[in-house]
Amino acid sequence: MDRDEEIITQYLKCAYYLAKRELPKEEFPHIINLLSELGCQTLSDGNSYTCPKSVSEFQSVCAKVVLINVIEKVLNAGVFSLMLDESTDRGNRKRLLVYIQYLHERKLQTSLLSNIEILTAKADAETITNHVLTELRMKGLSVAGLVGIGTDGANVMTGKKSGVVVRLREHSPTLIGTHCAAHRCALAASQASKSIPELKKYSDTVSNIFFYFSGSALRSNKLREIQMLLNLPMLKFAQLHSVRWLSLQKSVEILYRTYPALLVALEHEGTVNPAARGIYAEVSQYSFIAITHMLMDILPFLGKLSRIFQTKDLDLSKVTPIVKSTCDALLDFKEAEGMYVDKLDEFIIKDGDSVLYRRPDTESRKSAVQGAIEVNMDGFSGFEKEHEECNFEEEDNGVQIRYYQQQQNVLRSIMPKYLDTIVANLENRFQENGFIEKIQVLQPIHITAAHKKGELAKYGSEEIAVMANHFAIHGINPEETPMEYKQYKRLVVGSYQTSSLSDMCFHLGSEYEDIMPNIVRLIHCCTVIPVSSATCERGFSTQNRIKSRLRTNLNNISLNDLMRISEDGPSMAHFDFPEALKVWKEEKKRKIFAL
């Protein structure tokens, strides 16, 4: 008996390993054979438990143990939020991903609740709402504990009359809906580009470059050969994606690093290919080169902002400060040129009647690109910066620039407009109204600012009363909260001026729950409100890795189990395999343990 249990435990570990590594279960018999060859005990052929159904059962009980652990944490937290997003899997089936966000041991955590397959002809707000309510009920969670929901801002989710948020609020009156910050950032950047004709034309040219080379292996090989001959990095041009946030940054960086090779390749191809000749006519213009340098200065700020918004432990208190600092840094470029725009003047060489674009070979190195970006970001204050003179000992021969005289003022024309449009879009999309704006009175950065202005005593009194009444059903006493808030403000000013809202959840440990219990609960409610739905995007990536084009028949139950283990399952060293063995034995009568 003990021997058989030990062997089944080893089988559970093998099945768990496959799921954690996102490997197909067809590999399971081969792993068992390997164990046997290594001298480990395995079961006889009569009860080998190596068929696909047995492997699915092993992985199912492991996923169940993971889910039970998550549900226990959510129930202990008391309140939670959801993040929703729709997509289509590799089998062309409609999917709704639901993630749950909660506090565990005073730290923000996010876990997969369910990957729902939508079988109806349309995925309207009513269908999505019913699926969410059903999942909460099946998982033993009360919808009354739902305080926040994060979406991508689609009308079906955020419609004012009958969107998913409005429908769920009928079941949970304290529900707060948020629009994903990463989506808002991407929309602000893309709309700014589309509003300026020169940038719209630039984006079209970058797309044409990608499709020209990606559509032919021969052209790609020629490009790589030229890159090698010019001692440039052998990089493929990146595609612009409307669904991938700020994909333009990667495309522009690759274009900048391989620009000399691009010119040589297009010039050579242009003798026989009209398409190459047309692209060469665009990329050899001064405006294209100048806009590339400008975007190399600006896009890293937007990329960094987007990456911050995609982190898992982000809370609402960090959004406004990082958006404001990004806007200020972008506007600084109107007063002092960035590293790449500054370099552009050095790379322009007048040679008689011709104007050449000549730069050192070192500009194509990744270290040089990252170094210039760091100089832009570190302590950029709007004053001109000094940097080392470029070393032209290793240089290319330069390329002749077309239309320099006509386009030499292009950056003076479009750069201020582009910067102003981006900043205006960011400020407009991140202008918090309603309840979200009131949460700011709990954030240490705003409390500290009020203290410096001498307004601490009256600061936030009205807002805290509104929030206490809003979340009263979650154990918050509206009458006691204002007095506790006064203590909280003094505590922040004295010890936690630079902390975030999630940091305050950690700092307000058990010793403060007796002193200011209502404030602690209120902060918990506000902290779990999601800032971004980027977790759902990562979930779809996990889904597509597991349900690949070779595994399109994977059923929904198995897909959920495999995703849960992959994303939420602990390492093998910390997983509770004895509990999994217990669940496996209790599910049905096993032949191996029959008397």
Side-chain angles (χ1 to χ4, degrees):
M1 199 78 164
D2 292 337
R3 170 188 169 277
D4 290 340
E5 287 186 352
E6 183 179 348
I7 293 176
I8 292 298
T9 301
Q10 301 303 321
Y11 280 29
L12 283 168
K13 290 182 179 180
C14 292
Y16 187 82
Y17 171 82
L18 290 178
K20 197 67 181 173
R21 297 289 299 168
E22 299 177 357
L23 297 173
K25 55 190 175 185
E26 286 76 8
E27 296 294 321
F28 188 82
H30 303 294
I31 293 182
I32 299 302
N33 290 336
L34 176 62
L35 292 177
S36 178
E37 291 293 330
L38 293 174
C40 299
Q41 286 186 330
T42 58
L43 297 175
S44 61
D45 294 337
N47 291 318
S48 61
Y49 290 104
T50 58
C51 66
K53 182 179 179 181
S54 296
V55 180
S56 295
E57 290 180 352
F58 288 142
Q59 293 174 337
S60 177
V61 297
C62 290
K64 186 178 294 186
V65 171
V66 174
L67 178 61
I68 291 173
N69 186 39
V70 169
I71 298 302
E72 287 178 354
K73 293 178 181 178
V74 176
L75 293 174
N76 290 333
V79 294
F80 59 90
S81 293
L82 297 179
M83 288 170 280
L84 311 178
D85 202 359
E86 301 172 85
S87 185
T88 304
D89 64 20
R90 300 288 191 188
N92 199 29
R93 297 179 181 273
K94 190 69 175 176
R95 294 281 174 181
L96 174 67
L97 262 184
V98 184
Y99 280 83
I100 189 166
Q101 186 164 277
Y102 53 95
L103 282 170
H104 176 63
E105 295 181 351
R106 307 192 180 281
K107 293 182 180 180
L108 202 58
Q109 293 195 4
T110 304
S111 302
L112 174 68
L113 187 64
S114 184
N115 185 337
I116 303 170
E117 181 180 355
I118 299 179
L119 300 175
T120 55
K122 58 180 180 179
D124 55 9
E126 182 180 3
T127 302
I128 294 174
T129 302
N130 290 337
H131 276 300
V132 171
L133 293 174
T134 300
E135 283 300 322
L136 290 175
R137 184 168 58 253
M138 291 175 60
K139 300 297 190 295
L141 299 174
S142 172
V143 69
L146 180 61
V147 296
I149 182 170
T151 68
D152 60 358
N155 289 333
V156 70
M157 296 290 185
T158 59
K160 294 182 179 180
K161 293 184 179 180
S162 58
V164 173
V165 176
V166 173
R167 291 174 179 270
L168 287 175
R169 194 173 286 134
E170 296 175 359
H171 302 272
S172 179
T174 62
L175 179 64
I176 304 297
T178 59
H179 183 184
C180 172
H183 279 89
R184 285 188 279 174
C185 178
L187 289 171
S190 62
Q191 289 176 353
S193 298
K194 293 177 181 178
S195 66
I196 300 175
E198 292 87 349
L199 289 174
K200 178 66 170 61
K201 182 180 179 181
Y202 179 90
S203 298
D204 293 340
T205 302
V206 173
S207 294
N208 291 337
I209 292 171
F210 169 80
F211 287 113
Y212 179 79
F213 287 100
S214 65
S216 170
L218 182 60
R219 295 170 190 166
S220 298
N221 289 337
K222 288 182 179 179
L223 177 63
R224 282 192 291 270
E225 185 178 356
I226 294 171
Q227 290 172 341
M228 185 182 301
L229 290 173
L230 295 179
N231 196 27
L232 298 176
M234 289 185 287
L235 302 173
K236 295 191 298 183
F237 294 111
Q239 183 179 6
L240 297 182
H241 289 274
S242 59
V243 296
R244 292 185 182 177
W245 298 320
L246 299 170
S247 59
L248 182 60
Q249 180 186 355
K250 181 180 179 181
S251 300
V252 171
E253 181 178 327
I254 294 174
L255 185 64
Y256 178 82
R257 295 178 61 193
T258 61
Y259 181 75
L262 171 66
L263 264 293
V264 174
L266 290 175
E267 186 176 19
H268 177 73
E269 289 283 325
T271 58
V272 294
N273 191 312
R277 190 159 55 247
I279 298 174
Y280 178 82
E282 293 292 333
V283 300
S284 60
Q285 294 184 31
Y286 176 77
S287 60
F288 185 87
I289 299 171
I291 291 175
T292 300
H293 277 254
M294 179 191 74
L295 293 178
M296 286 293 290
D297 279 328
I298 295 174
L299 292 181
F301 285 87
L302 298 175
K304 184 176 182 180
L305 181 65
S306 180
R307 287 191 294 274
I308 291 174
F309 288 152
Q310 294 175 48
T311 55
K312 290 185 177 181
D313 58 348
L314 185 68
D315 66 68
L316 289 168
S317 65
K318 299 177 182 177
V319 174
T320 301
I322 190 62
V323 171
K324 185 179 184 306
S325 64
T326 301
C327 290
D328 291 341
L330 291 174
L331 291 176
D332 281 343
F333 284 125
K334 296 174 66 176
E335 304 296 330
E337 295 176 345
M339 287 291 294
Y340 285 96
V341 173
D342 198 14
K343 288 180 180 181
L344 179 61
D345 294 332
E346 300 178 21
F347 298 162
I348 300 299
I349 308 297
K350 294 184 178 180
D351 185 12
D353 295 334
S354 301
V355 179
L356 302 178
Y357 175 73
R358 182 184 299 166
R359 70 185 198 188
D361 289 346
T362 54
E363 285 298 306
S364 297
R365 298 175 184 172
K366 186 174 182 179
S367 59
V369 171
Q370 294 299 324
I373 292 174
E374 290 174 3
V375 171
N376 275 337
M377 290 188 171
D378 291 345
F380 191 89
S381 58
F383 297 96
E384 291 193 25
K385 302 168 293 300
E386 296 183 359
H387 58 275
E388 296 180 1
E389 293 293 329
C390 293
N391 179 13
F392 284 88
E393 292 181 359
E394 296 181 2
E395 60 181 15
D396 55 41
N397 294 323
V399 295
Q400 186 170 347
I401 299 175
R402 304 171 66 242
Y403 305 126
Y404 174 75
Q405 295 297 332
Q406 298 91 326
Q407 300 174 350
Q408 59 180 325
N409 294 321
V410 63
L411 291 187
R412 295 179 185 175
S413 172
I414 69 171
M415 189 170 179
K417 182 180 179 181
Y418 183 47
L419 290 169
D420 288 339
T421 306
I422 291 176
V423 171
N425 288 350
L426 287 173
E427 291 177 344
N428 180 56
R429 290 190 172 276
F430 287 92
Q431 185 177 4
E432 305 294 359
N433 297 312
F435 192 88
I436 298 297
E437 185 179 16
K438 293 179 174 60
I439 294 177
Q440 294 180 354
V441 302
L442 287 171
Q443 299 170 5
I445 186 173
H446 294 289
I447 294 175
T448 303
H451 173 66
K452 292 179 179 179
K453 295 178 182 178
E455 303 171 354
L456 185 63
K458 295 182 179 180
Y459 178 75
S461 300
E462 296 181 3
E463 291 86 349
I464 209 70
V466 172
M467 287 193 291
N469 281 288
H470 182 84
F471 288 121
I473 64 173
H474 299 298
I476 296 173
N477 189 326
E479 296 179 357
E480 298 176 358
T481 304
M483 185 61 65
E484 293 180 11
Y485 181 61
K486 294 181 181 294
Q487 294 176 286
Y488 173 74
K489 288 189 291 185
R490 293 297 177 183
L491 178 65
V492 168
V493 171
S495 304
Y496 307 113
Q497 294 187 9
T498 60
S499 298
S500 65
L501 205 58
S502 56
D503 292 335
M504 293 308 299
C505 288
F506 179 78
H507 296 319
L508 297 178
S510 57
E511 63 271 18
Y512 286 102
E513 288 188 355
D514 295 332
I515 301 174
M516 49 183 79
N518 296 290
I519 288 294
V520 171
R521 295 192 191 101
L522 184 58
I523 291 177
H524 286 186
C525 291
C526 295
T527 300
V528 299
I529 296 175
V531 175
S532 168
S533 61
T535 300
C536 294
E537 302 294 342
R538 286 188 286 268
F540 286 126
S541 296
T542 303
Q543 166 195 280
N544 292 334
R545 289 195 307 271
I546 294 173
K547 190 172 183 178
S548 64
R549 61 184 181 86
L550 299 177
R551 304 172 71 187
T552 54
N553 289 328
L554 190 67
N555 65 62
N556 194 57
I557 295 176
S558 296
L559 179 60
N560 271 270
D561 291 340
L562 295 173
M563 286 187 64
R564 198 177 310 283
I565 294 173
S566 175
E567 295 189 341
D568 299 332
S571 64
M572 293 189 63
H574 296 91
F575 184 78
D576 191 355
F577 286 104
E579 179 64 22
L581 175 64
K582 178 182 177 183
V583 174
W584 184 80
K585 292 173 63 176
E586 292 175 350
E587 279 193 341
K588 64 180 183 180
K589 188 175 182 180
R590 304 291 179 181
K591 291 182 179 180
I592 189 174
F593 298 121
L595 295 177

